[in-house]
Amino acid sequence: MDKIVIEGGFPLNGEIAISGAKNSAIKLMAVCLLTDQPIKLTNMPRLRDTRSMAGLLEHLGVQVDAGEGDEMLLNAETLSSTTAPYDLVRKMRASFNVLGPLIARNGSAKVSLPGGCAIGARPVDLHLKAMESFGVKIKLEEGYVIAAANGGLKGAEITFPFISVGATEHALLTAVLAKGETVLNNAAREPEIIDLANCLNAMGAKIFGAGRSQITITGVSKLSGVNHAVVPDRIEAGTYALAAATAGGSVRLTNIRSDHLGSLWPLIAQAGAKVSLDETTVLIERGGGRLKAVDMETQAYPGFPTDLQAQFMAMMCLADGTSIIRENIFENRFMHCPELSRMGADIDVRGREAIVRGVKELKGAPVMATDLRASASLIAAGLAASGETHVGRVYHLDRGFERIEVKLGNCGARIRREKE
Ligand code: UD1
């Protein structure tokens, strides 16, 4: 197993090109199941999660050509299986989203209930309710969802009781080939939803209103192939922006959509870093002097993303004053707090709130990555800390950050990967 070793206390200076969004890429890959024609995705990140999804699609009979560079070709002309086994689905929760497309393509499917990050219960009840609204009969047997739509998929009006990114995407992927009209109320509005809808519409789907709370889909009988560029990764961009503000220095991020992080930039500025934006780049600059404490709470988009909560907390660990950080999306997403405390942070967790009293200095320590985004917060803390930090269980990080040690190393970070 690998670990990342960081010699901290050096500012970051340089430029980082942001990759395509992991969370979009894996759902876009599932799109191939909806057509017998080839799909070409560009601006694809090279990650463990995209490889996991490719492995699952190959198991179903899809030809996957990941080639070199940032392209991926997918061809589901014929499928050899409609069963997604536990061993493949447990690696990544989002792979559960093949259920709807498989039913749309084949009339039935058997998909394992997912595993994924250990950040709270993360059930799939909303996904299953949406499937039932489309006329799918569902049985749960030995950890598997066995689903069939004998009369075909039928459009439905679905009102989500609360916002779910995954369930909204799953409903979209299923409704595009359902008969008649579907209306999704209280839909998620994340940029990844718009990306998915844009891709599906370019294939001939009729989706209206993606990016708003109400999405209307008129089912079509067939979808064609497509050539689609994945939206830039706002979480990767936010992670490096926060790392630059935490460690200090001057970092320009390119290939971003700065409007997708409208909730982050004012908070970084309030914390004391200079933020200079245009549409596709941002420059984060911070010289000497202490950061200032700022409160933050996570919300569904366009609110502050839960996937940047841990990285924001790492920054607040070094701020002057007390910051209250509230996690509204997941009930158990503070597992990075004890690890940050090992580096000298002063954090009290009370239910959904973390009270972070800024300290003057963090000190390098051996720490353990507990989930994908938490690992990034430990790296940011390590960059700002004095001495050496060893981040173990790096496989979490490799799920969602492309060559993080190379990208940070190019900005002067003293960071390396070692065998544990
Ligand atoms: C996606 C993102 C993840 C991000 C999250 C919230 C991907 C691959 N992952 O996850 O990085 O942190 O959105 O922005 O895109 N819930 C239920 N029942 C369900 C579905 C969800 O109770 O059927 C709950 C979850 O436990 C959670 C909340 O709803 O508390 C939001 O989850 P959701 O938006 O669905 O997250 P994901 O799509 O899993």
PDB file of all heavy atoms in Angstrom, residues 22-24 26-27 93-94 119-128 162-167 169 190 234 306-307 329-331 333 373, ligand 1:
ATOM      1  N   LYS A  22     -14.566  13.894 -11.695  1.00  0.00           N
ATOM      2  CA  LYS A  22     -14.783  12.476 -11.383  1.00  0.00           C
ATOM      3  C   LYS A  22     -16.272  12.167 -11.270  1.00  0.00           C
ATOM      4  O   LYS A  22     -16.769  11.211 -11.857  1.00  0.00           O
ATOM      5  CB  LYS A  22     -14.109  12.115 -10.049  1.00  0.00           C
ATOM      6  CG  LYS A  22     -14.528  10.756  -9.532  1.00  0.00           C
ATOM      7  CD  LYS A  22     -14.027  10.473  -8.146  1.00  0.00           C
ATOM      8  CE  LYS A  22     -14.950  10.861  -7.027  1.00  0.00           C
ATOM      9  NZ  LYS A  22     -16.066   9.959  -6.749  1.00  0.00           N
ATOM     10  N   ASN A  23     -16.991  13.003 -10.487  1.00  0.00           N
ATOM     11  CA  ASN A  23     -18.386  12.679 -10.209  1.00  0.00           C
ATOM     12  C   ASN A  23     -19.258  12.735 -11.450  1.00  0.00           C
ATOM     13  O   ASN A  23     -20.308  12.108 -11.503  1.00  0.00           O
ATOM     14  CB  ASN A  23     -18.945  13.617  -9.129  1.00  0.00           C
ATOM     15  CG  ASN A  23     -18.449  13.220  -7.749  1.00  0.00           C
ATOM     16  OD1 ASN A  23     -17.753  12.210  -7.601  1.00  0.00           O
ATOM     17  ND2 ASN A  23     -18.785  14.022  -6.748  1.00  0.00           N
ATOM     18  N   SER A  24     -18.829  13.514 -12.451  1.00  0.00           N
ATOM     19  CA  SER A  24     -19.564  13.552 -13.708  1.00  0.00           C
ATOM     20  C   SER A  24     -19.140  12.376 -14.580  1.00  0.00           C
ATOM     21  O   SER A  24     -19.972  11.680 -15.164  1.00  0.00           O
ATOM     22  CB  SER A  24     -19.263  14.876 -14.411  1.00  0.00           C
ATOM     23  OG  SER A  24     -20.331  15.221 -15.210  1.00  0.00           O
ATOM     24  N   ILE A  26     -18.052   9.377 -14.057  1.00  0.00           N
ATOM     25  CA  ILE A  26     -18.523   8.002 -13.829  1.00  0.00           C
ATOM     26  C   ILE A  26     -19.995   7.849 -14.224  1.00  0.00           C
ATOM     27  O   ILE A  26     -20.393   6.791 -14.678  1.00  0.00           O
ATOM     28  CB  ILE A  26     -18.251   7.517 -12.387  1.00  0.00           C
ATOM     29  CG1 ILE A  26     -18.663   8.552 -11.376  1.00  0.00           C
ATOM     30  CG2 ILE A  26     -16.808   7.145 -12.199  1.00  0.00           C
ATOM     31  CD1 ILE A  26     -18.261   8.204  -9.951  1.00  0.00           C
ATOM     32  N   LYS A  27     -20.796   8.907 -14.089  1.00  0.00           N
ATOM     33  CA  LYS A  27     -22.208   8.826 -14.539  1.00  0.00           C
ATOM     34  C   LYS A  27     -22.267   8.889 -16.063  1.00  0.00           C
ATOM     35  O   LYS A  27     -23.086   8.225 -16.690  1.00  0.00           O
ATOM     36  CB  LYS A  27     -23.067   9.946 -13.991  1.00  0.00           C
ATOM     37  CG  LYS A  27     -23.201  10.230 -12.515  1.00  0.00           C
ATOM     38  CD  LYS A  27     -22.836   9.225 -11.513  1.00  0.00           C
ATOM     39  CE  LYS A  27     -22.403   9.779 -10.180  1.00  0.00           C
ATOM     40  NZ  LYS A  27     -22.873  11.046  -9.732  1.00  0.00           N
ATOM     41  N   ARG A  93     -19.787   3.404  -4.965  1.00  0.00           N
ATOM     42  CA  ARG A  93     -21.219   3.502  -4.793  1.00  0.00           C
ATOM     43  C   ARG A  93     -21.957   3.934  -6.060  1.00  0.00           C
ATOM     44  O   ARG A  93     -23.034   3.424  -6.379  1.00  0.00           O
ATOM     45  CB  ARG A  93     -21.407   4.548  -3.687  1.00  0.00           C
ATOM     46  CG  ARG A  93     -22.683   4.607  -3.080  1.00  0.00           C
ATOM     47  CD  ARG A  93     -22.700   5.771  -2.116  1.00  0.00           C
ATOM     48  NE  ARG A  93     -24.013   6.352  -2.195  1.00  0.00           N
ATOM     49  CZ  ARG A  93     -25.065   5.780  -1.676  1.00  0.00           C
ATOM     50  NH1 ARG A  93     -24.958   4.674  -0.987  1.00  0.00           N
ATOM     51  NH2 ARG A  93     -26.248   6.330  -1.821  1.00  0.00           N
ATOM     52  N   ALA A  94     -21.343   4.885  -6.795  1.00  0.00           N
ATOM     53  CA  ALA A  94     -22.041   5.466  -7.952  1.00  0.00           C
ATOM     54  C   ALA A  94     -22.284   4.442  -9.054  1.00  0.00           C
ATOM     55  O   ALA A  94     -23.104   4.667  -9.941  1.00  0.00           O
ATOM     56  CB  ALA A  94     -21.247   6.647  -8.502  1.00  0.00           C
ATOM     57  N   ILE A 119     -19.087   7.417   4.780  1.00  0.00           N
ATOM     58  CA  ILE A 119     -19.507   8.696   5.354  1.00  0.00           C
ATOM     59  C   ILE A 119     -21.009   8.678   5.605  1.00  0.00           C
ATOM     60  O   ILE A 119     -21.788   9.290   4.891  1.00  0.00           O
ATOM     61  CB  ILE A 119     -19.095   9.903   4.473  1.00  0.00           C
ATOM     62  CG1 ILE A 119     -19.441   9.665   3.009  1.00  0.00           C
ATOM     63  CG2 ILE A 119     -17.622  10.190   4.620  1.00  0.00           C
ATOM     64  CD1 ILE A 119     -19.204  10.893   2.130  1.00  0.00           C
ATOM     65  N   GLY A 120     -21.395   7.918   6.615  1.00  0.00           N
ATOM     66  CA  GLY A 120     -22.808   7.868   6.949  1.00  0.00           C
ATOM     67  C   GLY A 120     -23.473   6.693   6.259  1.00  0.00           C
ATOM     68  O   GLY A 120     -22.848   5.936   5.544  1.00  0.00           O
ATOM     69  N   ALA A 121     -24.760   6.554   6.496  1.00  0.00           N
ATOM     70  CA  ALA A 121     -25.480   5.362   6.045  1.00  0.00           C
ATOM     71  C   ALA A 121     -25.578   5.295   4.515  1.00  0.00           C
ATOM     72  O   ALA A 121     -25.421   4.238   3.930  1.00  0.00           O
ATOM     73  CB  ALA A 121     -26.868   5.368   6.663  1.00  0.00           C
ATOM     74  N   ARG A 122     -25.829   6.392   3.884  1.00  0.00           N
ATOM     75  CA  ARG A 122     -25.940   6.490   2.428  1.00  0.00           C
ATOM     76  C   ARG A 122     -26.783   5.379   1.806  1.00  0.00           C
ATOM     77  O   ARG A 122     -26.301   4.577   1.012  1.00  0.00           O
ATOM     78  CB  ARG A 122     -24.547   6.509   1.785  1.00  0.00           C
ATOM     79  CG  ARG A 122     -23.727   7.696   2.223  1.00  0.00           C
ATOM     80  CD  ARG A 122     -22.433   7.781   1.476  1.00  0.00           C
ATOM     81  NE  ARG A 122     -22.575   8.540   0.252  1.00  0.00           N
ATOM     82  CZ  ARG A 122     -21.571   8.754  -0.590  1.00  0.00           C
ATOM     83  NH1 ARG A 122     -20.397   8.230  -0.367  1.00  0.00           N
ATOM     84  NH2 ARG A 122     -21.748   9.473  -1.668  1.00  0.00           N
ATOM     85  N   PRO A 123     -28.039   5.331   2.160  1.00  0.00           N
ATOM     86  CA  PRO A 123     -28.894   4.313   1.558  1.00  0.00           C
ATOM     87  C   PRO A 123     -29.257   4.664   0.112  1.00  0.00           C
ATOM     88  O   PRO A 123     -28.882   5.722  -0.390  1.00  0.00           O
ATOM     89  CB  PRO A 123     -30.144   4.348   2.443  1.00  0.00           C
ATOM     90  CG  PRO A 123     -30.151   5.701   3.056  1.00  0.00           C
ATOM     91  CD  PRO A 123     -28.754   6.211   3.079  1.00  0.00           C
ATOM     92  N   VAL A 124     -29.986   3.739  -0.539  1.00  0.00           N
ATOM     93  CA  VAL A 124     -30.404   3.994  -1.927  1.00  0.00           C
ATOM     94  C   VAL A 124     -31.925   3.965  -2.058  1.00  0.00           C
ATOM     95  O   VAL A 124     -32.456   3.692  -3.116  1.00  0.00           O
ATOM     96  CB  VAL A 124     -29.761   2.977  -2.907  1.00  0.00           C
ATOM     97  CG1 VAL A 124     -28.298   3.274  -3.141  1.00  0.00           C
ATOM     98  CG2 VAL A 124     -29.960   1.542  -2.432  1.00  0.00           C
ATOM     99  N   ASP A 125     -32.609   4.282  -0.930  1.00  0.00           N
ATOM    100  CA  ASP A 125     -34.072   4.204  -0.960  1.00  0.00           C
ATOM    101  C   ASP A 125     -34.696   5.137  -1.999  1.00  0.00           C
ATOM    102  O   ASP A 125     -35.661   4.779  -2.673  1.00  0.00           O
ATOM    103  CB  ASP A 125     -34.651   4.471   0.448  1.00  0.00           C
ATOM    104  CG  ASP A 125     -34.118   5.754   1.072  1.00  0.00           C
ATOM    105  OD1 ASP A 125     -32.957   6.125   0.779  1.00  0.00           O
ATOM    106  OD2 ASP A 125     -34.844   6.396   1.840  1.00  0.00           O
ATOM    107  N   LEU A 126     -34.121   6.334  -2.160  1.00  0.00           N
ATOM    108  CA  LEU A 126     -34.705   7.268  -3.139  1.00  0.00           C
ATOM    109  C   LEU A 126     -34.550   6.735  -4.559  1.00  0.00           C
ATOM    110  O   LEU A 126     -35.424   6.917  -5.402  1.00  0.00           O
ATOM    111  CB  LEU A 126     -34.047   8.653  -3.055  1.00  0.00           C
ATOM    112  CG  LEU A 126     -34.153   9.412  -1.728  1.00  0.00           C
ATOM    113  CD1 LEU A 126     -33.670  10.843  -1.903  1.00  0.00           C
ATOM    114  CD2 LEU A 126     -35.567   9.406  -1.206  1.00  0.00           C
ATOM    115  N   HIS A 127     -33.417   6.069  -4.815  1.00  0.00           N
ATOM    116  CA  HIS A 127     -33.189   5.480  -6.135  1.00  0.00           C
ATOM    117  C   HIS A 127     -34.274   4.432  -6.418  1.00  0.00           C
ATOM    118  O   HIS A 127     -34.866   4.401  -7.495  1.00  0.00           O
ATOM    119  CB  HIS A 127     -31.824   4.780  -6.186  1.00  0.00           C
ATOM    120  CG  HIS A 127     -30.653   5.697  -6.019  1.00  0.00           C
ATOM    121  ND1 HIS A 127     -29.692   5.852  -6.971  1.00  0.00           N
ATOM    122  CD2 HIS A 127     -30.273   6.505  -5.001  1.00  0.00           C
ATOM    123  CE1 HIS A 127     -28.773   6.700  -6.547  1.00  0.00           C
ATOM    124  NE2 HIS A 127     -29.102   7.101  -5.344  1.00  0.00           N
ATOM    125  N   LEU A 128     -34.505   3.572  -5.416  1.00  0.00           N
ATOM    126  CA  LEU A 128     -35.436   2.456  -5.620  1.00  0.00           C
ATOM    127  C   LEU A 128     -36.869   2.965  -5.768  1.00  0.00           C
ATOM    128  O   LEU A 128     -37.628   2.481  -6.609  1.00  0.00           O
ATOM    129  CB  LEU A 128     -35.318   1.453  -4.467  1.00  0.00           C
ATOM    130  CG  LEU A 128     -33.939   0.786  -4.354  1.00  0.00           C
ATOM    131  CD1 LEU A 128     -33.901  -0.193  -3.180  1.00  0.00           C
ATOM    132  CD2 LEU A 128     -33.569   0.047  -5.646  1.00  0.00           C
ATOM    133  N   PHE A 162     -35.997  14.894  -0.224  1.00  0.00           N
ATOM    134  CA  PHE A 162     -34.859  15.798  -0.013  1.00  0.00           C
ATOM    135  C   PHE A 162     -33.942  15.658  -1.213  1.00  0.00           C
ATOM    136  O   PHE A 162     -34.124  14.743  -2.038  1.00  0.00           O
ATOM    137  CB  PHE A 162     -34.119  15.507   1.313  1.00  0.00           C
ATOM    138  CG  PHE A 162     -33.734  14.077   1.486  1.00  0.00           C
ATOM    139  CD1 PHE A 162     -32.537  13.581   0.993  1.00  0.00           C
ATOM    140  CD2 PHE A 162     -34.591  13.185   2.138  1.00  0.00           C
ATOM    141  CE1 PHE A 162     -32.188  12.254   1.142  1.00  0.00           C
ATOM    142  CE2 PHE A 162     -34.254  11.841   2.285  1.00  0.00           C
ATOM    143  CZ  PHE A 162     -33.045  11.387   1.779  1.00  0.00           C
ATOM    144  N   ILE A 163     -32.958  16.556  -1.303  1.00  0.00           N
ATOM    145  CA  ILE A 163     -32.155  16.597  -2.527  1.00  0.00           C
ATOM    146  C   ILE A 163     -31.119  15.484  -2.521  1.00  0.00           C
ATOM    147  O   ILE A 163     -30.369  15.331  -1.568  1.00  0.00           O
ATOM    148  CB  ILE A 163     -31.476  17.974  -2.661  1.00  0.00           C
ATOM    149  CG1 ILE A 163     -32.548  19.039  -2.906  1.00  0.00           C
ATOM    150  CG2 ILE A 163     -30.447  17.975  -3.792  1.00  0.00           C
ATOM    151  CD1 ILE A 163     -32.025  20.451  -2.873  1.00  0.00           C
ATOM    152  N   SER A 164     -31.073  14.715  -3.595  1.00  0.00           N
ATOM    153  CA  SER A 164     -30.035  13.689  -3.758  1.00  0.00           C
ATOM    154  C   SER A 164     -29.461  13.801  -5.170  1.00  0.00           C
ATOM    155  O   SER A 164     -30.200  13.723  -6.152  1.00  0.00           O
ATOM    156  CB  SER A 164     -30.622  12.290  -3.534  1.00  0.00           C
ATOM    157  OG  SER A 164     -29.789  11.309  -4.125  1.00  0.00           O
ATOM    158  N   VAL A 165     -28.151  13.978  -5.217  1.00  0.00           N
ATOM    159  CA  VAL A 165     -27.470  14.081  -6.512  1.00  0.00           C
ATOM    160  C   VAL A 165     -27.605  12.752  -7.254  1.00  0.00           C
ATOM    161  O   VAL A 165     -28.039  12.685  -8.402  1.00  0.00           O
ATOM    162  CB  VAL A 165     -25.975  14.422  -6.312  1.00  0.00           C
ATOM    163  CG1 VAL A 165     -25.236  14.460  -7.639  1.00  0.00           C
ATOM    164  CG2 VAL A 165     -25.820  15.736  -5.564  1.00  0.00           C
ATOM    165  N   GLY A 166     -27.256  11.659  -6.551  1.00  0.00           N
ATOM    166  CA  GLY A 166     -27.260  10.345  -7.190  1.00  0.00           C
ATOM    167  C   GLY A 166     -28.641   9.942  -7.669  1.00  0.00           C
ATOM    168  O   GLY A 166     -28.796   9.427  -8.780  1.00  0.00           O
ATOM    169  N   ALA A 167     -29.674  10.172  -6.844  1.00  0.00           N
ATOM    170  CA  ALA A 167     -31.025   9.753  -7.229  1.00  0.00           C
ATOM    171  C   ALA A 167     -31.533  10.601  -8.403  1.00  0.00           C
ATOM    172  O   ALA A 167     -32.221  10.090  -9.290  1.00  0.00           O
ATOM    173  CB  ALA A 167     -31.961   9.852  -6.032  1.00  0.00           C
ATOM    174  N   GLU A 169     -29.662  11.923 -10.761  1.00  0.00           N
ATOM    175  CA  GLU A 169     -28.960  11.424 -11.959  1.00  0.00           C
ATOM    176  C   GLU A 169     -29.523  10.082 -12.414  1.00  0.00           C
ATOM    177  O   GLU A 169     -29.703   9.842 -13.610  1.00  0.00           O
ATOM    178  CB  GLU A 169     -27.463  11.282 -11.655  1.00  0.00           C
ATOM    179  CG  GLU A 169     -26.787  12.625 -11.540  1.00  0.00           C
ATOM    180  CD  GLU A 169     -25.391  12.549 -10.928  1.00  0.00           C
ATOM    181  OE1 GLU A 169     -25.105  11.598 -10.181  1.00  0.00           O
ATOM    182  OE2 GLU A 169     -24.599  13.459 -11.180  1.00  0.00           O
ATOM    183  N   GLU A 190     -26.736  20.384  -9.154  1.00  0.00           N
ATOM    184  CA  GLU A 190     -25.277  20.388  -9.319  1.00  0.00           C
ATOM    185  C   GLU A 190     -24.858  20.496 -10.783  1.00  0.00           C
ATOM    186  O   GLU A 190     -25.566  19.991 -11.673  1.00  0.00           O
ATOM    187  CB  GLU A 190     -24.710  19.071  -8.741  1.00  0.00           C
ATOM    188  CG  GLU A 190     -24.302  19.105  -7.283  1.00  0.00           C
ATOM    189  CD  GLU A 190     -25.445  19.303  -6.288  1.00  0.00           C
ATOM    190  OE1 GLU A 190     -26.619  19.362  -6.713  1.00  0.00           O
ATOM    191  OE2 GLU A 190     -25.176  19.400  -5.089  1.00  0.00           O
ATOM    192  N   ARG A 234     -14.961  20.659 -10.139  1.00  0.00           N
ATOM    193  CA  ARG A 234     -15.008  21.801  -9.205  1.00  0.00           C
ATOM    194  C   ARG A 234     -14.444  21.398  -7.844  1.00  0.00           C
ATOM    195  O   ARG A 234     -13.934  22.235  -7.103  1.00  0.00           O
ATOM    196  CB  ARG A 234     -16.431  22.369  -9.094  1.00  0.00           C
ATOM    197  CG  ARG A 234     -17.422  21.413  -8.540  1.00  0.00           C
ATOM    198  CD  ARG A 234     -18.868  21.818  -8.807  1.00  0.00           C
ATOM    199  NE  ARG A 234     -19.718  20.691  -8.485  1.00  0.00           N
ATOM    200  CZ  ARG A 234     -20.359  20.527  -7.333  1.00  0.00           C
ATOM    201  NH1 ARG A 234     -20.301  21.459  -6.400  1.00  0.00           N
ATOM    202  NH2 ARG A 234     -21.076  19.461  -7.106  1.00  0.00           N
ATOM    203  N   THR A 306     -20.280  19.731   0.296  1.00  0.00           N
ATOM    204  CA  THR A 306     -19.811  18.847   1.376  1.00  0.00           C
ATOM    205  C   THR A 306     -18.454  18.227   1.024  1.00  0.00           C
ATOM    206  O   THR A 306     -17.647  17.944   1.910  1.00  0.00           O
ATOM    207  CB  THR A 306     -20.854  17.742   1.681  1.00  0.00           C
ATOM    208  OG1 THR A 306     -20.298  16.827   2.612  1.00  0.00           O
ATOM    209  CG2 THR A 306     -21.262  16.966   0.437  1.00  0.00           C
ATOM    210  N   ASP A 307     -18.186  18.074  -0.260  1.00  0.00           N
ATOM    211  CA  ASP A 307     -16.909  17.464  -0.670  1.00  0.00           C
ATOM    212  C   ASP A 307     -15.711  18.398  -0.460  1.00  0.00           C
ATOM    213  O   ASP A 307     -14.573  17.986  -0.692  1.00  0.00           O
ATOM    214  CB  ASP A 307     -16.978  17.038  -2.149  1.00  0.00           C
ATOM    215  CG  ASP A 307     -17.818  15.788  -2.346  1.00  0.00           C
ATOM    216  OD1 ASP A 307     -18.261  15.198  -1.347  1.00  0.00           O
ATOM    217  OD2 ASP A 307     -18.035  15.401  -3.511  1.00  0.00           O
ATOM    218  N   ILE A 329     -25.151  17.660   4.975  1.00  0.00           N
ATOM    219  CA  ILE A 329     -25.503  16.653   3.960  1.00  0.00           C
ATOM    220  C   ILE A 329     -25.323  15.230   4.492  1.00  0.00           C
ATOM    221  O   ILE A 329     -26.209  14.403   4.354  1.00  0.00           O
ATOM    222  CB  ILE A 329     -24.651  16.831   2.670  1.00  0.00           C
ATOM    223  CG1 ILE A 329     -24.694  18.283   2.189  1.00  0.00           C
ATOM    224  CG2 ILE A 329     -25.104  15.858   1.577  1.00  0.00           C
ATOM    225  CD1 ILE A 329     -26.020  18.782   1.685  1.00  0.00           C
ATOM    226  N   PHE A 330     -24.167  14.946   5.082  1.00  0.00           N
ATOM    227  CA  PHE A 330     -23.902  13.589   5.600  1.00  0.00           C
ATOM    228  C   PHE A 330     -23.786  13.636   7.114  1.00  0.00           C
ATOM    229  O   PHE A 330     -23.209  14.573   7.673  1.00  0.00           O
ATOM    230  CB  PHE A 330     -22.617  13.021   4.985  1.00  0.00           C
ATOM    231  CG  PHE A 330     -22.750  12.745   3.512  1.00  0.00           C
ATOM    232  CD1 PHE A 330     -22.115  13.549   2.579  1.00  0.00           C
ATOM    233  CD2 PHE A 330     -23.527  11.686   3.059  1.00  0.00           C
ATOM    234  CE1 PHE A 330     -22.250  13.305   1.219  1.00  0.00           C
ATOM    235  CE2 PHE A 330     -23.669  11.434   1.708  1.00  0.00           C
ATOM    236  CZ  PHE A 330     -23.028  12.237   0.781  1.00  0.00           C
ATOM    237  N   GLU A 331     -24.308  12.588   7.773  1.00  0.00           N
ATOM    238  CA  GLU A 331     -24.371  12.622   9.241  1.00  0.00           C
ATOM    239  C   GLU A 331     -23.068  12.190   9.903  1.00  0.00           C
ATOM    240  O   GLU A 331     -22.897  12.354  11.083  1.00  0.00           O
ATOM    241  CB  GLU A 331     -25.566  11.787   9.760  1.00  0.00           C
ATOM    242  CG  GLU A 331     -25.382  10.293   9.715  1.00  0.00           C
ATOM    243  CD  GLU A 331     -25.818   9.663   8.400  1.00  0.00           C
ATOM    244  OE1 GLU A 331     -25.776  10.337   7.347  1.00  0.00           O
ATOM    245  OE2 GLU A 331     -26.171   8.482   8.428  1.00  0.00           O
ATOM    246  N   ARG A 333     -19.549  12.838   8.734  1.00  0.00           N
ATOM    247  CA  ARG A 333     -18.470  13.232   7.843  1.00  0.00           C
ATOM    248  C   ARG A 333     -17.427  14.083   8.563  1.00  0.00           C
ATOM    249  O   ARG A 333     -16.950  15.089   8.025  1.00  0.00           O
ATOM    250  CB  ARG A 333     -19.031  13.973   6.630  1.00  0.00           C
ATOM    251  CG  ARG A 333     -18.096  13.812   5.458  1.00  0.00           C
ATOM    252  CD  ARG A 333     -18.573  14.394   4.172  1.00  0.00           C
ATOM    253  NE  ARG A 333     -17.724  13.860   3.107  1.00  0.00           N
ATOM    254  CZ  ARG A 333     -17.867  14.146   1.840  1.00  0.00           C
ATOM    255  NH1 ARG A 333     -18.824  14.939   1.441  1.00  0.00           N
ATOM    256  NH2 ARG A 333     -17.041  13.629   0.946  1.00  0.00           N
ATOM    257  N   ARG A 373     -12.295  12.613   0.277  1.00  0.00           N
ATOM    258  CA  ARG A 373     -12.040  14.060   0.411  1.00  0.00           C
ATOM    259  C   ARG A 373     -11.266  14.361   1.688  1.00  0.00           C
ATOM    260  O   ARG A 373     -10.501  15.320   1.748  1.00  0.00           O
ATOM    261  CB  ARG A 373     -13.348  14.845   0.360  1.00  0.00           C
ATOM    262  CG  ARG A 373     -14.222  14.519  -0.841  1.00  0.00           C
ATOM    263  CD  ARG A 373     -13.511  14.696  -2.174  1.00  0.00           C
ATOM    264  NE  ARG A 373     -14.383  14.338  -3.284  1.00  0.00           N
ATOM    265  CZ  ARG A 373     -14.017  14.335  -4.559  1.00  0.00           C
ATOM    266  NH1 ARG A 373     -12.788  14.650  -4.920  1.00  0.00           N
ATOM    267  NH2 ARG A 373     -14.877  14.016  -5.506  1.00  0.00           N
TER     268      ARG A 373
HETATM  269  C1  UD1 B   1     -22.795  12.609  -4.644  1.00  0.00           C
HETATM  270  C2  UD1 B   1     -21.307  12.712  -4.873  1.00  0.00           C
HETATM  271  C3  UD1 B   1     -20.579  12.952  -3.559  1.00  0.00           C
HETATM  272  C4  UD1 B   1     -21.178  14.158  -2.837  1.00  0.00           C
HETATM  273  C5  UD1 B   1     -22.697  14.032  -2.715  1.00  0.00           C
HETATM  274  C6  UD1 B   1     -23.354  15.280  -2.155  1.00  0.00           C
HETATM  275  C7  UD1 B   1     -20.889  11.255  -6.755  1.00  0.00           C
HETATM  276  C8  UD1 B   1     -20.246  10.010  -7.252  1.00  0.00           C
HETATM  277  N1  UD1 B   1     -20.811  11.476  -5.444  1.00  0.00           N
HETATM  278  O1  UD1 B   1     -23.004  11.473  -3.811  1.00  0.00           O
HETATM  279  O2  UD1 B   1     -19.206  13.155  -3.846  1.00  0.00           O
HETATM  280  O3  UD1 B   1     -20.628  14.246  -1.547  1.00  0.00           O
HETATM  281  O4  UD1 B   1     -23.275  13.786  -4.020  1.00  0.00           O
HETATM  282  O5  UD1 B   1     -23.039  16.382  -2.922  1.00  0.00           O
HETATM  283  O6  UD1 B   1     -21.419  12.036  -7.530  1.00  0.00           O
HETATM  284  N2  UD1 B   1     -29.614   9.641   0.588  1.00  0.00           N
HETATM  285  C9  UD1 B   1     -30.602   8.828   1.078  1.00  0.00           C
HETATM  286  N3  UD1 B   1     -31.224   7.954   0.225  1.00  0.00           N
HETATM  287  C10 UD1 B   1     -30.880   7.850  -1.098  1.00  0.00           C
HETATM  288  C11 UD1 B   1     -29.875   8.694  -1.596  1.00  0.00           C
HETATM  289  C12 UD1 B   1     -29.249   9.577  -0.732  1.00  0.00           C
HETATM  290  O7  UD1 B   1     -30.940   8.890   2.273  1.00  0.00           O
HETATM  291  O8  UD1 B   1     -31.481   7.025  -1.812  1.00  0.00           O
HETATM  292  C13 UD1 B   1     -28.957  10.618   1.492  1.00  0.00           C
HETATM  293  C14 UD1 B   1     -27.467  10.377   1.692  1.00  0.00           C
HETATM  294  O9  UD1 B   1     -27.233   9.443   2.718  1.00  0.00           O
HETATM  295  C15 UD1 B   1     -26.978  11.770   2.023  1.00  0.00           C
HETATM  296  C16 UD1 B   1     -27.890  12.680   1.204  1.00  0.00           C
HETATM  297  O10 UD1 B   1     -29.013  11.884   0.860  1.00  0.00           O
HETATM  298  O11 UD1 B   1     -27.161  12.042   3.387  1.00  0.00           O
HETATM  299  C17 UD1 B   1     -27.270  13.236  -0.075  1.00  0.00           C
HETATM  300  O12 UD1 B   1     -26.729  12.188  -0.816  1.00  0.00           O
HETATM  301  P1  UD1 B   1     -26.599  12.231  -2.401  1.00  0.00           P
HETATM  302  O13 UD1 B   1     -26.784  13.629  -2.881  1.00  0.00           O
HETATM  303  O14 UD1 B   1     -27.460  11.176  -2.971  1.00  0.00           O
HETATM  304  O15 UD1 B   1     -25.081  11.818  -2.571  1.00  0.00           O
HETATM  305  P2  UD1 B   1     -24.456  10.862  -3.655  1.00  0.00           P
HETATM  306  O16 UD1 B   1     -25.175  11.008  -4.957  1.00  0.00           O
HETATM  307  O17 UD1 B   1     -24.287   9.511  -3.072  1.00  0.00           O
END
